[in-house]
Amino acid sequence: MSRFLAPSQAWLFGRGVDLAVFAGSALVSVVLVLAAPALGAVGDTPLWAWALFVVCVDVAHVWSTLFRTYLDGDELRSRPGLYITAPLAAYLLGVLAYLLSPGTFWRLFAYTALFHFIRQQYGWVALYGRKARVSDTERVLDAAAIYAATLGPVLWWHANLPRAFWWFVENDFVSGLPAWVGTGALVLQGLVLAAWAGFQCARVLRGEGLQVGKVLLVLATGVTWFGGIVVARDDFAFTVMNVVLHGVPYFALLFRYTRGRLAEGGYGWLGPVVRAGLPGFLGVLCVLAFGEELLWDKLVWHERPLLFGEAGLVLPPDVLALVVPLLALPQATHYVLDAFIWKTSREPRLLARLGWSRGAAQAPETGRASLSGLMPR
């Protein structure tokens, strides 16, 4: 058995956590989709699934960035310009896009989110490679595998619009891509993943073994993106496959960070919430997420009276141009800030807070150990 294992596994959070948040997330997604008929979840995402996966995973993981940024007084004082400029710029851009047309706003937002999702998967695999000190060849192959696993299904999606699901709203992606482009994208995806798998097999034959966490991450990404886009036939399958593998590992990252920051004496009045452990951490995030969705439903969507009540406001278009970008601001700010807040070259203590020793990563002063690859740059 040892022949198949790398001399240094270089787990990110530890074997159990890595297996749970990456492979476990993908496995849960697949099981839920297979069980959809028994769960009454064929077709549109039912209310219980929307509350669990969209609100408590997708929306809540956006709010978790607060523990790295606005809820930490020391962090705010260290970079006030960033934390003022990022939401202001995101809001102004959102208003301008919405004034051009609501479709322009949602298209810009959808492609930004898509880029963010892809870059996060790349960031995880890159971090695995850095911690294990893999060769340049393997690093390139790992990146190619992740981009193939994500972009292949995305290009196929664009070539097969419309589908029974959208990223945010109907017609938010550009249609009209020829069908052969989608087919070619899947063929290229298969070739790239086959080359990557061949390299992993060669490692085993050379006696170098596999870095199990990274291999499972690539496989989980391939399964959920292909299954959630190409194989999926309804919104429930797309939603489950789309959000679980994205949100759950991010929870692990932020929770690990909060524990390290608390050990330094951070958070002040918020300390008891963090000391409450995972229930306190997730509880705060779910409350914030439901609060956001309450506002969306009352002011914009008016779609879930069973959860949020019947009463709501019908706002005129010029007011919506100000309100919709404001409601989207937590998510937009999350996208922008994540390009800056995980760079160990800017903040060397970040590695210690995450429980990752400096020696586990390569040359942080050169930027190679930056965690910003987890997010869009």
Side-chain angles (χ1 to χ4, degrees), residues 130-287:
R130 288 163 184 160
K131 293 197 74 176
R133 300 178 182 273
V134 300
S135 67
D136 289 341
T137 299
E138 186 165 2
R139 185 176 294 111
V140 170
L141 280 173
D142 288 342
I146 283 292
Y147 283 123
T150 53
L151 287 174
V154 166
L155 287 173
W156 183 91
W157 188 1
H158 279 69
N160 288 273
L161 289 170
R163 300 279 283 159
F165 47 83
W166 301 93
W167 194 280
F168 286 130
V169 299
E170 188 172 354
N171 297 320
D172 52 9
F173 281 164
V174 177
S175 60
L177 201 63
W180 65 264
V181 173
T183 303
L186 294 186
V187 171
L188 182 59
Q189 174 190 357
L191 293 174
V192 172
L193 292 177
W196 175 83
F199 185 90
Q200 298 302 317
C201 291
R203 282 183 58 102
V204 174
L205 294 176
R206 292 194 302 266
E208 298 174 4
L210 296 176
Q211 192 179 358
V212 175
K214 180 185 72 177
V215 170
L216 290 176
L217 168 65
V218 174
L219 293 177
T221 303
V223 167
T224 54
W225 283 70
F226 188 87
I229 294 175
V230 180
V231 179
R233 294 293 180 266
D234 57 35
D235 184 70
F236 176 76
F238 169 70
T239 298
V240 171
M241 292 285 195
N242 185 36
V243 305
V244 176
L245 185 61
H246 181 73
V248 171
Y250 196 81
F251 283 142
L253 178 73
L254 265 295
F255 183 67
R256 175 67 67 90
Y257 176 85
T258 62
R259 305 301 288 180
R261 188 70 183 93
L262 184 66
E264 295 178 344
Y267 295 123
W269 63 271
L270 199 62
V273 174
V274 179
R275 279 190 288 272
L278 197 57
F281 175 75
L282 294 177
V284 169
L285 298 179
C286 288
V287 168

Side-chain angles (χ1 to χ4, degrees), residues 1 64 73 113 199 201 245 298-299 331-332 339 367:
M1 183 64 181
S64 68
F199 185 90
C201 291
L245 185 61
K298 292 295 188 183
L299 301 177
Q331 197 164 343

